[in-house]
Amino acid sequence: MPWTKLAVDSASKRFLDSKKNLCGRVLSYREALREAHYQALKRDARVFIMGQGVDDPAGVFGSTLGLHQEFCARVFDTPIAENGLTGFAVGAALAGMRPILVHMRMDFLLLTFDQIINHASKLCYMSGGRIHVPLVIRAIIGRGWGSAAQHSQALQALFMHIPGIKVVLPASAYDAKGLLLSSIADDNPVIFIEHRWLYDIQDSVPANEYLVPIGKGLIKRGGKDITVVAISLMVNEALIAATKLKQNGIEAEVIDLRSLRPLDQEIIVNSVKKTGRLIIADLGWRTAGAAQIILGNIHHKIRRYLKAGVEIVALPDTPTPSSAYLEKIFYPGAADIIRAAKRIYVRTKH
Amino acid sequence: MPWTKLAVDSASKRFLDSKKNLCGRVLSYREALREAHYQALKRDARVFIMGQGVDDPAGVFGSTLGLHQEFCARVFDTPIAENGLTGFAVGAALAGMRPILVHMRMDFLLLTFDQIINHASKLCYMSGGRIHVPLVIRAIIGRGWGSAAQHSQALQALFMHIPGIKVVLPASAYDAKGLLLSSIADDNPVIFIEHRWLYDIQDSVPANEYLVPIGKGLIKRGGKDITVVAISLMVNEALIAATKLKQNGIEAEVIDLRSLRPLDQEIIVNSVKKTGRLIIADLGWRTAGAAQIILGNIHHKIRRYLKAGVEIVALPDTPTPSSAYLEKIFYPGAADIIRAAKRIYVRTKH
Amino acid sequence: MIERIRAVALTQIYVMMLRIRLFEERLVYLYPAQEIKTPVHLSIGQEAIAAGVCQNLTKSDYVFTNHRCHGHCLAKGMSMSAMMAELYGKNTGCCKGKGGSMHLSDPQLGILATSAIVGANLPIAVGAALSLKLRERKNISVVFFGDGAVDQGVFFESLNFAALKKLPVLFVCENNFYATNSLQKARQPLDNIFKRAEIFGIKGWRCAGNDAQEVYDLAKRLIQKLRANSSGPHLLECRTYRWKAHVGPDCDFQSGCRPKPELDAWISNCPIKKLEIFLIKTGLLTQDKIRKIRQRINREIMRAEFLAKKSRFPSAGELTTDVYWKE
Amino acid sequence: MIERIRAVALTQIYVMMLRIRLFEERLVYLYPAQEIKTPVHLSIGQEAIAAGVCQNLTKSDYVFTNHRCHGHCLAKGMSMSAMMAELYGKNTGCCKGKGGSMHLSDPQLGILATSAIVGANLPIAVGAALSLKLRERKNISVVFFGDGAVDQGVFFESLNFAALKKLPVLFVCENNFYATNSLQKARQPLDNIFKRAEIFGIKGWRCAGNDAQEVYDLAKRLIQKLRANSSGPHLLECRTYRWKAHVGPDCDFQSGCRPKPELDAWISNCPIKKLEIFLIKTGLLTQDKIRKIRQRINREIMRAEFLAKKSRFPSAGELTTDVYWKE
Ligand SMILES: Cc1ncc(C[n+]2csc(CCOP(=O)(O)OP(=O)(O)O)c2C)c(N)n1
Ligand SMILES: Cc1ncc(C[n+]2csc(CCOP(=O)(O)OP(=O)(O)O)c2C)c(N)n1
Ligand SMILES: [Mg+2]
Ligand SMILES: [Mg+2]
């Protein structure tokens, strides 16, 4: 099997010192994705990429740019028929391929829930483990410039509920490459969620192929006072907030979950044991969103260590407005995390 | 407007004494649903019912039986095209009708998430409040007899996340009628979730039309020791468990939430203030299910009153197996609620 | 001599096409200032379809459009001010700034809702027609969609149901041969959109989408049929071309999205120019009249722009209202 | 005289039809004991399609079926024991008791996965064919579906893509004129399923689904074409009828689901009887041979039943395994 030889990067500690450029090689998130695709196509003839625009001059915001030139039979454009496409991908996966299906906006996945949830996630179980669906579905979250309600949704919470699938959300270029390779190597359906605003962000990315483990969070910044659990773009906001909090003498520990299913409960619990304070920062709506779910999920394990109620930073429960002014107040960021931290501190002082 | 004259039943207390047959008229859940449909069709010419089998000899397990005979233009069968159907219903609702769309299994709703989430739930907001979507989507949860993974899902958790929709789940014939009428009268899209196993259960149901408020839970049984929050079929299990717990000297308060969005936080919080102990019993998968969500949602309000960690009774994180033997261990019931209560008591003794 | 009613109609269509063109050209001009913060999908080059079809509609008819909706909404009667303010994200916009360019809506004008999910407006339009039928109205429901929407299964579900229930729907496909950067032939084995209705017993029609007269005449005939009896829907494929990039104010051939000669050929087949020549030839228009029409339109645009700019953003409280109807 | 290969094929088809019929009739007998706790969708009356089509397939060809899958799976080579045990929910079942009647699966036999979501197997079958093409195999992918699946948009998405990419798919529609209790004409304006492929440039075929020879011959021709070159998919509509209720062992006309005379007419057009008469006439079968065949099949069924009954239920631990592949 082409994938068994790849080394899993378990040296998470590397990241604690993220300022040091460990391999002397810097790529943007988009370039890291493209490189992972390229290497996967090269390594394994079963891998193919399909989706609207994967072979066009924009190449899905650059993430698949030009790949069709070398792998023309395995990188191809498709009709706009997301439900069918997902079925084609499931069928191809059942029949020995390792498809990567690309959606420019996560919102379009809503057309494909039958194939993802009734099929991809269940076929292994329904067959008594005789078949499997090695499938990667890339979903890009849009934001800003009046994308409005149908082109900006961050729907990761919905997938957290579904047995049989995995949900990953890299927040750095390093993880984008390593998690994409892991997702392709994985024998189960993986929802691979990218945030459009991460595409230009650079990181040290080794040229070789490497796997970042699915289901393992990462301490991006150590701290003893308060734990900030974040995903995707919110990891960056959390890091900014941590820097500011430090000026107030608060040492925040920032955890990038990287996967939502499976969820790395341990990394959160261990941190909360130390800090006794927890903020969860999500990209989606507050009610029934990833943050509330995580809280409900680990509540029994952290309850006794908490010095104050958990704070959630998430979107207000409303569709995305178009107006730039409303967008600005709609999206939470570092300032909201700081405010949340202060609320916790106020409460723990009493 | 035909609906403004109807009285809202706010005398929830009525239910505390549910053994007393208050109106001398007993209907099954299925008959109560049918009566609500009938009265809505009669009251309001804008109401219509569509879905597979609504006018056939089985009449959706009896819930629409024979209605087409009196209202033949407004009760009709459809092609098997759930996504399109949902769009037809949205369009009809926009253009002045009040459609009721019926799905024999909740699993089929997965084909319609684009129309529900990208459209029905957002159009009011996207239009700046100029239009609205008075739409009821009935979804029946199946169970047992090897229904297996694609015909038994209880997906209510997914809808809890979506701004713009309401989610109701009547657990009694009385509420089935009153909540269905409220849902039809509501100007927003409502996901109306029924459990197939409730259909034969009888209750006292008045002949007149009445509205049960959406978003208000109900104390089905008072108790001072432990709070059991349940939905749909699990309410019955909770009541059975409560009877048994009483034999052990534990007085459980059983709350039927009746709606999941909006969520009646107050009724839960008030009960937990009194009992300090909480069990949440759901029909869906544990991870990211309604129970975990509810816990994440109210955590900050109940934290300080809890004497022990919250217990969740839910499905294991696996697709539904077909084998009758596996089904039996798959589905939790009163016994699991009792065990959960005992776990809580063990913990609070120390 | 051309008959009077027709003369009036054609002149109105001309004016409408010009309104759409000049409005969108103004967007091209304004966009770089980055005050219009919403993705604009311009219909420059495709105006004849919106104008030609909507000339046959009344206020109580429904129109459902898609991401490329400016032209259809203007043609259905939306004011430039309401539209421009919406693009600027202002509270005087037709959706109070909450919808933006892709979700223009005005129920008073029969523009109930606009979706940017490709194909999703089709069943919604059919549902509105179902309402018309159940309420026994003589109005019709028109849905505009691209060649891309034809890829979606829901296109067929919509045709099937509309045919089955004999609903008054006019399906208008604006086939501009591209969906974003994908050629029609990279997505569909045959170039036969209009024929796809026939398997449902619906007659399909095809016309030159850049010939306003052809669009108008054919749409008129079909709409008259739809109003007259309940014989079911029609499908009209209009062949056209967009001059600008899929989204945004620029052109896209430089980036290799499509061949320049193809674009040039279509630009020389301008729908406005074509009707203008005809109207001048038949004496219905003169250069002088055209100048005055343009002036009037430009004033209208300036007014819309002025109002949009000076309007306020929605208040912060607006963020969370309208999630539910009349909460 | 009938040629030898054909004679063998027809005899095998006859035996296969009989296996399906007797197996399902045994289910009818066993069901009231309530040990088979899974909804059974019987294909009694429709056997010629499964047997006639699959006679042309090898183990490495794929078959995708739906809720009504017993016949297709037997015809594709599944053992009665594996199937019966699955219906009894036992760990010797083809899915270890986890799938049940509607999700039979055996990847070794090319039965990769069986879905009970109407229409959902269509794109999956197309995807498997895409895999065949990318891997340059000469095998094909066959998908069986009902007239109900034709209502779904994904039917068209699947045809479109298969035609576009010239994939080796045989679409086999078993048109039994009902989807649960809905008549085809209550769901589709025209009775023309086979024609629906033509808009994608796919030739559509229709045949008498109760005539095993017609099914076999036509399927053979189409499958040979599919194997020979990559000219794209075919659609075959087989007209047939189910004798039993949509689900369960009983008949449903008593409850008013359909007219008794309609049912009677189809029962007298029994596919097995029809081929039997032909085979007897041509001397390929005798009453004596038939008796022996039946005996053999009945023994096979008894063995399957015996094994299923004596097998164990899956252990409790099995509940949570196989959620992920090789965890
Ligand atoms: C379901 C869905 N898939 C993908 C997209 C992204 N998208 C936006 S417009 C578009 C192309 C639409 O093409 P067409 O229907 O021909 O309309 P045109 O833009 O040519 O007017 C695509 C793919 C979308 N909005 N919705
Ligand atoms: C998406 C979906 N909708 C509805 C159903 C319920 N259902 C099960 S079988 C069936 C009828 C299918 O009819 P057809 O495709 O003609 O197959 P047949 O049963 O006649 O063999 C329906 C509606 C389903 N399983 N999936
Ligand atoms: Mg187009
Ligand atoms: Mg059928």
Side-chain angles (χ1 to χ4, degrees):
Chain A
M1 302 299 277
W3 295 93
T4 47
K5 295 162 225 148
L6 287 190
V8 174
D9 167 69
S10 50
S12 299
K13 275 194 160 166
R14 206 184 76 77
F15 284 88
L16 283 176
D17 192 9
S18 60
K19 272 153 282 164
K20 200 155 78 197
N21 185 337
L22 284 160
C23 63
R25 185 169 178 274
V26 168
L27 292 185
S28 69
Y29 192 93
R30 99 180 61 229
E31 289 161 339
L33 287 172
R34 189 185 174 285
E35 185 163 278
H37 283 125
Y38 180 84
Q39 291 175 337
L41 287 163
K42 195 95 182 167
R43 169 175 289 270
D44 188 344
R46 298 171 304 174
V47 173
F48 71 95
I49 306 175
M50 65 177 179
Q52 285 133 46
V54 296
D55 62 356
D56 81 3
V60 189
F61 309 118
S63 65
T64 61
L65 197 65
L67 294 173
H68 63 289
Q69 279 154 10
E70 187 164 341
F71 307 100
C72 94
R74 288 191 286 135
V75 180
F76 54 86
D77 197 16
T78 61
I80 309 170
E82 284 84 356
N83 182 28
L85 282 178
T86 311
F88 308 151
V90 169
L94 286 175
M97 302 299 288
R98 301 185 92 80
I100 303 171
L101 177 60
V102 187
H103 296 278
M104 299 258 221
R105 303 279 177 166
M106 190 165 203
D107 314 68
F108 308 154
L109 259 71
L110 290 167
L111 285 153
T112 73
F113 269 42
D114 173 58
Q115 284 295 338
I116 296 178
I117 299 181
N118 280 332
H119 296 88
S121 82
K122 294 181 173 44
L123 294 181
C124 180
Y125 190 86
M126 278 161 49
S127 71
R130 302 193 67 178
I131 51 166
H132 61 125
V133 185
L135 164 62
V136 178
I137 298 178
R138 285 181 53 201
I140 304 171
I141 299 171
R143 170 167 166 181
W145 203 261
S147 301
Q150 295 177 334
H151 280 68
S152 59
Q153 288 167 92
L155 300 167
Q156 58 280 359
L158 304 185
F159 296 105
M160 293 175 75
H161 191 39
I162 310 303
I165 60 177
K166 301 188 177 180
V167 183
V168 305
L169 321 79
S172 70
Y174 181 90
D175 284 345
K177 179 172 170 181
L179 278 172
L180 184 51
L181 287 170
S182 287
S183 300
I184 300 168
D186 201 287
D187 284 319
N188 298 287
V190 178
I191 311 293
F192 189 91
I193 302 172
E194 308 154 24
H195 196 291
R196 185 69 186 75
W197 282 22
L198 292 168
Y199 267 53
D200 291 321
I201 297 179
Q202 298 193 319
D203 191 13
S204 144
V205 177
N208 66 302
E209 296 159 80
Y210 57 92
L211 304 177
V212 167
I214 294 176
K216 287 269 166 263
L218 189 66
I219 297 172
K220 291 283 254 202
R221 183 189 190 286
K224 61 176 187 8
D225 297 326
I226 190 164
T227 302
V228 185
V229 168
I231 53 166
S232 191
L233 187 68
M234 295 309 282
V235 174
N236 297 359
E237 298 295 318
L239 290 171
I240 295 168
T243 309
K244 298 235 170 101
L245 286 169
K246 192 181 161 75
Q247 293 161 10
N248 292 321
I250 299 174
E251 287 291 350
E253 179 147 300
V254 176
I255 294 173
D256 175 1
L257 281 177
R258 300 197 293 189
S259 303
L260 284 171
R261 187 175 184 118
L263 183 68
D264 190 346
Q265 293 187 334
E266 204 186 320
I267 199 170
I268 308 176
V269 174
N270 286 341
S271 180
V272 174
K273 271 186 192 167
K274 182 170 64 178
T275 63
R277 299 178 183 90
L278 176 61
I279 297 171
I280 311 177
D282 180 27
L283 290 167
W285 295 299
R286 172 175 297 266
T287 297
Q292 283 190 353
I293 289 169
I294 292 168
L295 176 52
N297 191 280
I298 58 165
H299 164 265
H300 58 292
K301 296 193 177 172
I302 60 170
R303 206 178 85 81
R304 70 194 110 165
Y305 306 112
L306 285 177
K307 297 178 189 152
V310 175
E311 283 284 334
I312 285 174
V313 174
L315 296 181
D317 289 316
T318 146
T320 314
S322 166
S323 175
Y325 174 74
L326 293 179
E327 270 183 351
K328 217 179 308 169
I329 52 180
F330 179 63
Y331 286 107
D336 301 270
I337 295 172
I338 293 166
R339 271 194 292 275
K342 291 192 173 153
R343 280 195 299 273
I344 289 181
Y345 266 90
V346 167
R347 269 185 268 136
T348 45
K349 260 183 205 132
H350 298 294
Chain B
M1 303 300 279
W3 295 94
T4 46
K5 296 162 223 147
L6 288 189
V8 174
D9 167 68
S10 49
S12 299
K13 274 193 161 166
R14 205 184 77 76
F15 285 87
L16 283 175
D17 192 9
S18 59
K19 271 152 283 163
K20 200 155 80 198
N21 186 336
L22 285 161
C23 63
R25 184 170 180 274
V26 168
L27 292 186
S28 68
Y29 193 92
R30 99 180 61 229
E31 289 162 339
L33 287 171
R34 190 185 173 285
E35 184 163 278
H37 283 126
Y38 180 85
Q39 290 175 338
L41 287 163
K42 196 96 183 167
R43 169 175 287 271
D44 188 344
R46 299 171 304 173
V47 172
F48 70 96
I49 306 175
M50 65 177 178
Q52 285 133 46
V54 296
D55 61 357
D56 80 4
V60 189
F61 310 119
S63 65
T64 61
L65 197 64
L67 294 174
H68 63 288
Q69 279 153 9
E70 186 163 344
F71 307 99
C72 94
R74 289 193 285 135
V75 179
F76 55 87
D77 197 16
T78 61
I80 309 170
E82 284 83 356
N83 182 29
L85 283 178
T86 312
F88 308 151
V90 169
L94 287 175
M97 301 299 288
R98 302 184 93 80
I100 303 171
L101 178 59
V102 187
H103 296 277
M104 299 259 221
R105 303 278 177 167
M106 189 164 202
D107 315 68
F108 309 153
L109 259 71
L110 290 167
L111 284 153
T112 73
F113 269 43
D114 174 57
Q115 284 295 339
I116 296 177
I117 299 181
N118 280 333
H119 295 88
S121 81
K122 294 182 173 43
L123 293 180
C124 180
Y125 190 85
M126 278 162 49
S127 72
R130 302 192 66 177
I131 51 168
H132 61 126
V133 185
L135 164 62
V136 178
I137 299 178
R138 284 182 54 201
I140 303 171
I141 298 171
R143 171 166 166 182
W145 203 260
S147 300
Q150 295 178 335
H151 280 67
S152 58
Q153 288 166 92
L155 300 167
Q156 58 279 2
L158 304 185
F159 296 105
M160 293 175 75
H161 191 38
I162 310 303
I165 60 178
K166 301 186 178 179
V167 183
V168 305
L169 321 79
S172 70
Y174 180 91
D175 284 345
K177 178 172 172 183
L179 278 172
L180 185 52
L181 286 170
S182 286
S183 300
I184 299 168
D186 201 288
D187 285 317
N188 299 286
V190 178
I191 311 292
F192 189 91
I193 302 172
E194 308 155 24
H195 197 290
R196 184 69 186 75
W197 282 23
L198 292 168
Y199 267 53
D200 291 322
I201 297 178
Q202 299 194 317
D203 190 13
S204 143
V205 177
N208 66 303
E209 295 159 81
Y210 57 92
L211 303 177
V212 167
I214 295 176
K216 287 269 166 264
L218 189 66
I219 296 171
K220 291 282 254 200
R221 182 190 190 287
K224 62 176 185 7
D225 297 325
I226 190 163
T227 303
V228 185
V229 168
I231 52 167
S232 190
L233 187 67
M234 294 310 281
V235 174
N236 296 358
E237 298 295 318
L239 290 170
I240 296 168
T243 310
K244 299 236 169 100
L245 286 170
K246 192 182 161 73
Q247 292 160 11
N248 292 320
I250 299 174
E251 287 292 350
E253 179 147 299
V254 176
I255 294 172
D256 175 1
L257 281 177
R258 300 197 292 189
S259 304
L260 285 172
R261 186 174 185 120
L263 183 68
D264 190 346
Q265 293 187 331
E266 203 186 321
I267 199 170
I268 308 175
V269 174
N270 286 341
S271 180
V272 174
K273 272 187 192 165
K274 182 171 64 179
T275 64
R277 299 177 183 90
L278 176 61
I279 297 171
I280 311 176
D282 181 27
L283 291 167
W285 295 300
R286 173 174 296 266
T287 298
Q292 284 190 352
I293 290 168
I294 291 167
L295 175 52
N297 191 281
I298 58 166
H299 161 266
H300 58 294
K301 297 195 177 170
I302 60 169
R303 206 177 86 81
R304 71 193 109 164
Y305 307 113
L306 286 177
K307 296 178 190 153
V310 175
E311 284 284 334
I312 284 174
V313 174
L315 296 182
D317 289 316
T318 147
T320 314
S322 166
S323 174
Y325 174 73
L326 294 179
E327 269 184 350
K328 215 180 308 171
I329 52 179
F330 179 63
Y331 287 107
D336 300 270
I337 295 172
I338 293 167
R339 271 193 293 275
K342 291 193 172 151
R343 280 195 300 274
I344 288 180
Y345 266 90
V346 167
R347 269 185 269 136
T348 45
K349 262 185 203 129
H350 297 294
Chain C
M1 252 303 284
I2 183 167
E3 65 162 306
R4 224 192 77 79
I5 294 182
R6 185 175 172 76
V8 172
L10 292 181
T11 313
Q12 286 177 346
I13 290 171
Y14 175 78
V15 173
M16 186 58 75
M17 288 200 291
L18 209 52
R19 285 180 72 229
I20 299 170
R21 173 72 56 90
L22 296 180
F23 181 84
E24 292 203 320
E25 281 184 346
R26 186 67 189 167
L27 294 184
V28 173
Y29 174 85
L30 292 168
Y31 212 68
Q34 307 218 349
E35 287 178 41
I36 297 175
K37 294 184 176 158
T38 183
V40 289
H41 298 79
L42 303 181
S43 60
I44 291 175
Q46 307 187 176
E47 299 90 344
I49 305 164
V53 171
C54 293
Q55 181 66 29
N56 299 293
L57 302 179
T58 73
K59 244 191 188 175
S60 335
D61 294 317
Y62 298 130
V63 157
F64 292 88
T65 158
N66 59 5
H67 56 287
R68 203 173 301 288
C69 59
H70 307 155
H72 309 126
C73 290
L74 286 174
K76 191 67 180 27
M78 190 174 282
S79 79
M80 284 188 184
S81 311
M83 192 178 302
M84 191 67 98
E86 189 61 31
L87 302 187
Y88 274 85
K90 299 301 180 70
N91 68 354
T92 50
C94 58
C95 306
K96 298 196 291 192
K98 292 183 177 182
S101 161
M102 301 192 286
H103 306 305
L104 302 177
S105 154
D106 186 341
Q108 306 294 322
L109 300 170
I111 307 166
L112 299 184
T114 301
S115 170
I117 299 297
V118 170
N121 59 347
L122 287 153
I124 297 177
V126 169
L130 175 63
S131 167
L132 290 170
K133 182 162 182 187
L134 288 169
R135 291 184 292 129
E136 296 175 3
R137 301 294 151 97
K138 274 289 168 209
N139 292 104
I140 69 162
S141 179
V142 177
V143 55
F144 292 99
F145 55 99
D147 48 295
V150 173
D151 296 354
Q152 294 278 18
V154 79
F155 168 69
F156 298 92
E157 295 179 355
S158 300
L159 287 174
N160 184 58
F161 191 77
L164 183 72
K165 300 287 179 190
K166 300 198 192 307
L167 302 178
V169 189
L170 181 61
F171 293 92
V172 182
C173 180
E174 301 181 307
N175 183 359
N176 60 12
F177 306 101
Y178 287 89
T180 53
N181 299 326
S182 299
L183 262 171
Q184 185 194 1
K185 61 175 179 241
R187 297 175 286 108
Q188 296 168 12
L190 300 178
D191 173 13
N192 65 345
I193 291 173
F194 73 111
K195 288 221 174 206
R196 292 180 173 215
E198 290 176 8
I199 54 175
F200 305 105
I202 303 174
K203 188 139 175 50
W205 308 82
R206 177 183 270 177
C207 75
N210 283 18
D211 183 336
Q213 293 198 61
E214 206 176 313
V215 174
Y216 169 68
D217 290 338
L218 197 43
K220 183 174 185 145
R221 232 173 87 202
L222 301 180
I223 289 171
Q224 276 171 352
K225 282 192 205 194
L226 283 172
R227 290 197 208 282
N229 55 47
S230 49
S231 61
H234 290 279
L235 170 64
L236 173 58
E237 175 190 353
C238 305
R239 295 160 81 85
T240 185
Y241 200 78
R242 83 174 134 71
W243 294 6
K244 296 291 177 182
H246 168 68
V247 61
D250 305 320
C251 196
D252 56 357
F253 69 88
Q254 301 94 330
S255 53
C257 290
R258 45 197 176 140
K260 179 87 163 46
E262 182 182 285
L263 173 62
D264 289 340
W266 279 96
I267 290 182
S268 69
N269 180 18
C270 169
I272 299 180
K273 209 81 228 155
K274 193 183 202 107
L275 186 58
E276 189 174 291
I277 290 169
F278 174 83
L279 292 176
I280 289 175
K281 210 154 54 189
T282 49
L284 289 167
L285 273 186
T286 61
Q287 290 302 348
D288 190 52
K289 273 192 197 162
I290 291 175
R291 209 172 29 77
K292 283 191 183 132
I293 292 171
R294 282 181 168 264
Q295 273 174 0
R296 209 179 60 224
I297 295 174
N298 280 325
R299 276 198 304 271
E300 190 188 1
I301 294 172
M302 291 308 138
R303 221 164 27 239
E305 195 180 319
F306 176 77
L307 282 168
K309 285 181 172 166
K310 80 158 201 197
S311 292
R312 282 203 309 260
F313 283 111
S315 67
E318 279 289 334
L319 177 64
T320 50
T321 58
D322 302 324
V323 179
Y324 294 92
W325 178 254
K326 288 189 195 131
E327 321 166 56
Chain D
M1 250 304 284
I2 182 166
E3 66 163 305
R4 222 191 78 80
I5 295 180
R6 186 177 171 77
V8 171
L10 293 182
T11 313
Q12 288 177 346
I13 290 171
Y14 174 77
V15 173
M16 185 58 77
M17 289 199 292
L18 209 52
R19 284 181 73 228
I20 299 170
R21 173 72 56 92
L22 297 180
F23 181 84
E24 292 203 321
E25 281 182 346
R26 186 67 189 167
L27 294 185
V28 172
Y29 174 83
L30 291 168
Y31 213 70
Q34 306 218 349
E35 287 177 41
I36 297 175
K37 293 183 176 159
T38 183
V40 288
H41 298 80
L42 303 181
S43 61
I44 291 175
Q46 307 187 177
E47 299 91 344
I49 304 164
V53 171
C54 294
Q55 180 67 27
N56 299 291
L57 301 180
T58 73
K59 243 190 187 175
S60 333
D61 293 318
Y62 298 130
V63 157
F64 292 88
T65 158
N66 59 7
H67 56 287
R68 203 173 301 287
C69 58
H70 307 155
H72 309 126
C73 291
L74 287 173
K76 190 67 181 23
M78 189 175 282
S79 79
M80 284 187 183
S81 311
M83 192 178 301
M84 190 68 97
E86 188 60 32
L87 302 186
Y88 275 85
K90 299 299 180 73
N91 68 355
T92 49
C94 59
C95 307
K96 299 197 290 193
K98 292 183 177 182
S101 162
M102 300 192 286
H103 306 305
L104 302 177
S105 154
D106 187 339
Q108 307 294 322
L109 301 170
I111 306 165
L112 298 184
T114 300
S115 171
I117 299 297
V118 171
N121 59 347
L122 288 153
I124 296 177
V126 169
L130 175 63
S131 167
L132 290 170
K133 182 161 183 189
L134 287 170
R135 292 183 292 128
E136 296 176 3
R137 301 294 152 98
K138 275 290 170 209
N139 291 104
I140 69 161
S141 179
V142 177
V143 56
F144 293 100
F145 55 99
D147 48 293
V150 174
D151 297 354
Q152 294 279 17
V154 79
F155 167 69
F156 297 92
E157 295 180 355
S158 300
L159 287 174
N160 184 58
F161 190 78
L164 183 72
K165 300 286 179 190
K166 300 199 191 308
L167 301 178
V169 189
L170 181 62
F171 293 92
V172 183
C173 180
E174 300 180 307
N175 183 0
N176 59 13
F177 306 102
Y178 286 89
T180 53
N181 300 326
S182 300
L183 262 172
Q184 185 193 1
K185 62 175 180 241
R187 297 175 286 108
Q188 297 168 11
L190 299 178
D191 174 13
N192 65 346
I193 291 174
F194 73 112
K195 288 223 174 206
R196 291 179 175 216
E198 290 176 7
I199 53 174
F200 305 105
I202 302 173
K203 186 138 177 49
W205 308 83
R206 176 183 270 178
C207 75
N210 283 17
D211 183 337
Q213 292 198 62
E214 204 176 315
V215 174
Y216 169 66
D217 290 337
L218 196 43
K220 182 174 187 146
R221 232 173 88 201
L222 300 180
I223 289 171
Q224 276 171 351
K225 281 192 207 196
L226 283 173
R227 288 197 209 282
N229 55 47
S230 49
S231 62
H234 290 281
L235 169 64
L236 175 57
E237 175 190 354
C238 304
R239 295 162 81 84
T240 185
Y241 200 78
R242 83 175 135 70
W243 294 7
K244 296 291 177 181
H246 168 68
V247 61
D250 305 319
C251 196
D252 57 357
F253 69 87
Q254 301 94 330
S255 53
C257 290
R258 45 196 175 139
K260 179 87 165 45
E262 183 182 284
L263 173 63
D264 289 340
W266 279 96
I267 289 182
S268 70
N269 179 18
C270 170
I272 299 180
K273 210 80 225 156
K274 190 182 206 107
L275 186 58
E276 189 173 292
I277 290 168
F278 175 83
L279 292 176
I280 290 175
K281 208 155 55 189
T282 50
L284 289 165
L285 273 185
T286 61
Q287 289 300 350
D288 190 52
K289 271 193 198 162
I290 292 174
R291 208 172 32 77
K292 283 191 185 133
I293 292 170
R294 282 181 168 264
Q295 272 174 0
R296 210 178 60 224
I297 295 174
N298 280 325
R299 277 199 303 272
E300 190 188 1
I301 294 171
M302 290 308 138
R303 221 164 29 238
E305 195 180 318
F306 176 77
L307 282 169
K309 285 181 170 165
K310 83 159 199 195
S311 291
R312 283 203 307 260
F313 282 110
S315 66
E318 278 289 334
L319 177 65
T320 50
T321 58
D322 302 324
V323 179
Y324 294 92
W325 178 253
K326 287 187 195 130
E327 322 164 59

